[in-house]
Amino acid sequence: MSRIKCSFLLGVFFVLVSVQVSAQLEKGQLVDGIAAVIGDEIVLESDVEEQINYAKQQGSQMLDKCKVMESILINKIIVHEAKRDTLIENRSAAIRENVEMKYNQILSQFPDERAMLSAYKFRTGFEMKNAIEKIDTDQYYGQAKYQSITMKADVTPNEVTDFYNTFKLQLPEVKDEVTLAQISMYPKLTEAHKEEIINRLKKIKQDILSGESFESQARIYSEDPGSAANGGLMKNISRGQMVKPFEAAALNLQEGEISDPIESEFGFHIIQLERKAGKIYDARHILIATTPNSDEIAAAKKELDSIRTLIMDGKMTFKEAAYKFSDDKRTKFNAGILTNNDGSDKLERISLPPTLGYQIAGYNKGDITEVYEDEMNRRKVVTMVKIEDSIPAHQLSIETDYDRIKQMALNKKKSEMIDKWVKERIPHVFISIDNRYSNCTFEGDLQKAILTK
């Protein structure tokens, strides 16, 4: 495989994982200075260090700074050309609007903003938001161009066989895998329990109207980890970003007005509208989560266990039950089937969440686990899992793993298409690198195009 192909693959890797990286940003130890310019795209020295640090965390051996820079250069060529492609929708505004939501999602994992910025080594929230926007922009344009170049790629059965015969000694061993389907249900609160929560919020609202600040009450009582420490404040909310009951209540308020308690999938809220400007608004809220008590959990277990009995007795299929009863929106319309990040339903046992791995231990293909307690979207659920398939560890074989090998062959063909496209575009893109990389030797066509400062 040519060096340009290797570096492109590394570059695509960084683009494709950028959604995950945005939740693990390590922008600290900033190194000032522009490392490279590709068209109108700028690469900072800190960007190079960031890629190297992430590669180290992932156990990559490809840590040579020159090779990392080469992958970034090729990735940036793709992004630069994508932004100039009039057939690719300009989504800069949408990406910018989405930054606040992602920022708040990350913030929800920490007690306060200061703790988050310290953990990710950013100096300010503004700096972190800029980094998220930059990563998401590159990811969007990089993927859009990649898809437009490779959209017609296909492989024939003969090409799959040729690929297998050529690379079979290099193909990885498949680890123990399972295909799983699940039904998860949120325990239902009794009307008395709901009334208790509503009355708590009514009392909090009355205290605010009597002189307590909404901000202080949110810090004391709100159970929203993403906003409680900030006095319940959520800024620059885009229409459509929040769940419908929340948004409907917030946008029906006048600035400064406080809503009555409203129910959403997360619990009960009171909301204060701070500011409304076009499609953007700021609001504070106090959330009391609908945390079920032991009796409500027991009732949910009993209900799901009765559904399990219907399935075991052949009166209903697992697929029908998932569609009718499951509260897991990710899987209920797909027969309850769990998938991994790349959409595959084959899950490595070793990578399963601990609770799930423990619950399916000892079960065989076709078995259904007992009903057990778990968490989903930070809420208590009761769950049962069906083992749809169990695949022992084995070496990839064309007889048993045709679809997987076909995808590998297709990926190789796509890589070759990108390789050819990049080589054709390199002479037409301005590329300049800082002289600290003057000793690097890049792939031939790339080396010719570089103007060292």
Side-chain angles (χ1 to χ4, degrees), residues 48-95:
V48 181
E49 296 297 331
E50 206 172 278
Q51 302 286 37
I52 292 173
N53 288 337
Y54 183 74
K56 285 179 181 177
Q57 293 170 12
Q58 299 302 304
S60 173
Q61 301 301 311
M62 196 171 181
L63 301 178
D64 180 85
K65 206 167 187 178
C66 292
K67 290 180 180 178
V68 172
M69 171 56 83
E70 182 172 281
S71 77
I72 293 174
L73 290 175
I74 293 173
N75 201 22
K76 284 294 187 180
I77 290 171
I78 295 172
V79 171
H80 169 71
E81 292 294 301
K83 289 180 179 178
R84 291 158 48 90
D85 189 338
T86 55
L87 296 179
I88 294 177
E89 179 187 359
N90 185 331
R91 296 187 59 188
S92 299
I95 291 170

Side-chain angles (χ1 to χ4, degrees), residues 99-100 102-130 132 215 219 224-236:
V99 167
E100 193 73 28
K102 288 200 170 187
Y103 184 83
N104 287 330
Q105 286 175 342
I106 300 172
L107 179 59
S108 69
Q109 303 169 28
F110 292 86
D112 55 44
E113 189 173 39
R114 182 179 299 177
M116 176 187 69
L117 295 175
S118 175
Y120 292 130
K121 301 177 184 176
F122 283 93
R123 292 170 294 191
T124 66
F126 178 77
E127 186 180 85
M128 183 169 176
K129 290 173 186 178
N130 278 343
I132 294 172
E215 180 178 355
R219 291 180 187 276
D224 176 13
S227 68
N230 199 30
L233 180 62
M234 295 181 291
K235 301 189 69 174
N236 298 318

Side-chain angles (χ1 to χ4, degrees), residues 342-353:
D342 65 5
S344 172
D345 62 1
K346 293 180 174 61
L347 312 175
E348 290 184 358
R349 281 184 182 268
I350 196 171
S351 300
L352 295 175

